[in-house]
Amino acid sequence: MTRHFLTGAELTPAELTALLDRAAELKGAPLSSRALAGKSVALIFEKPSTRTRLSFEVGIHELGGNPVVLRADELQSSRGESLRDTALVLSRHVAAVGVRTGGDSTLEQLAAHSTVPVINMLTARHHPCQALADLLTLREAYGSLEGVRIAYVGDGNNVARSLAVLGTLAGMHVTVASPPGYALEEDLALPAGGTGSLTLHADPRKAVEGAQAVYTDVWVSMGDETTAEERRAALADFLLDDALLDAAAPGAFAMHDLPAHPGEEISAEVLYGSRQRIWDQAENRRHAQKALLELLVAPA
């Protein structure tokens, strides 16, 4: 049966642990696997990308495969061809399909009709590949994820949602602080088998108490431009700076999925200073995604 990776909840706790173990091995020996030798992977980009495109393209090359990058305006779906037909054709040529799009329905329709794995490279509601890299980064810092406390401050968006889903699956305690109107849903469905917890707050200083890492994301994402000033005003008290890190656990570090806007959601001093692992996160996208591709395309 074809396995997809749409939200991260498709994994069991044991699979997640094994995936992160494998990602660490691949980071230590990037050219050690030929899992995609003779195979191609389609990467569909309906949204601009730096880290996602780089990490997937380079990672597929390192696994011996061929990345086929497709922009939305290069596909017949931009002229009315159905997503079902697109999925059926792609399935005849490639070993997997990555999709970076807006609405989740595009991803879900492709997965419903694809006979090869479909991977969520980003949608409006979920960013699970980013969360895999985040967990790998945290594991490098703390050895184990069980019981690790992480706070996310800012817009309760796709990054926050995926961190909650995969973080609790890994046994972490996740707190999310957002202003009214920007919070994660209180009834967010968490994956079965996870031993972690999720708590929501309105006060960022309350959320970071005891946190071993403090995470943020941009306040104005792609598609939010028309409400940019309104969003900045609502989120103004959620800046990740040295003072907020000081309110967290001793040794806590900052995280950010990038791109960043220094002086807005994160201070330049934190972004480029020694109290962060942001650039490790960016690199770890590649290693975590390679382990994911091995799991989905070339299972043992």
Side-chain angles (χ1 to χ4, degrees), residues 5-293:
F5 186 71
L6 309 184
T7 70
E10 299 86 358
L11 300 177
T12 66
E15 286 175 328
L16 177 56
T17 297
L19 189 154
L20 295 173
D21 288 342
R22 183 58 178 151
E25 293 174 354
L26 290 168
K27 185 171 183 176
L31 301 179
S32 61
S33 172
R34 303 294 292 173
L36 295 182
K39 297 181 172 69
S40 295
V41 176
L43 304 174
I44 299 174
F45 288 94
E46 294 185 346
K47 295 275 189 177
S49 174
T50 298
R51 279 147 296 277
T52 297
R53 179 166 176 175
L54 272 172
S55 58
F56 266 104
E57 278 205 68
V58 174
I60 291 165
H61 274 299
E62 289 182 345
L63 291 172
N66 175 50
V68 182
V69 176
L70 300 165
R71 296 185 306 180
D73 60 359
E74 295 174 333
L75 294 170
Q76 289 290 349
S77 56
S78 66
R79 302 179 59 248
E81 184 171 28
S82 71
L83 291 171
R84 177 176 185 172
D85 290 0
T86 301
L88 292 173
V89 171
L90 287 169
S91 298
R92 297 296 183 103
H93 293 283
V94 300
V97 179
V99 185
R100 182 177 173 92
T101 185
D104 287 69
S105 62
T106 297
L107 178 82
E108 292 162 358
Q109 288 182 63
L110 285 169
H113 299 291
S114 176
T115 59
V116 299
V118 172
I119 297 170
N120 183 349
M121 301 195 299
L122 176 140
T123 60
R125 286 186 56 79
H126 298 280
H127 201 355
C129 287
Q130 178 64 53
L132 291 179
D134 299 337
L135 297 191
L136 179 59
T137 305
L138 287 160
R139 206 181 76 155
E140 289 173 340
Y142 295 111
S144 170
L145 294 176
E146 187 73 33
V148 169
R149 294 185 175 274
I150 183 170
Y152 176 99
V153 296
D155 183 19
N157 60 11
N158 52 358
V159 173
R161 189 172 291 104
S162 289
L163 187 65
V165 169
L166 281 157
T168 58
L169 187 65
M172 295 170 53
H173 301 300
V174 182
T175 61
V176 179
S178 306
Y182 295 85
L184 276 181
E185 59 270 29
E186 293 186 2
D187 60 347
L188 175 64
L190 298 176
T195 58
S197 65
L198 170 66
T199 56
L200 305 182
H201 298 271
D203 181 352
R205 294 184 67 85
K206 181 69 175 176
V208 305
E209 289 179 2
Q212 295 158 276
V214 182
Y215 201 128
T216 193
D217 190 15
V218 295
W219 293 346
V220 183
S221 298
M222 289 178 286
D224 294 331
E225 291 80 6
T226 58
T227 58
E229 292 311 310
E230 175 185 327
R231 297 176 67 83
R232 291 188 181 103
L235 291 155
D237 293 332
F238 290 76
L239 169 70
L240 175 47
D241 58 8
D242 282 305
L244 192 61
L245 278 176
D246 289 341
F253 54 82
M255 301 180 73
H256 194 308
D257 58 296
L258 300 175
H261 296 85
E264 192 163 289
E265 77 279 356
I266 188 170
S267 70
E269 291 77 14
V270 170
L271 177 63
Y272 299 114
S274 60
R275 304 178 72 183
Q276 54 77 26
R277 297 210 176 199
I278 293 167
W279 312 104
D280 292 336
Q281 289 174 262
E283 178 188 342
N284 283 340
R285 289 288 303 274
R286 182 169 96 255
H287 311 305
Q289 289 158 188
K290 287 169 67 178
L292 175 65
L293 284 163

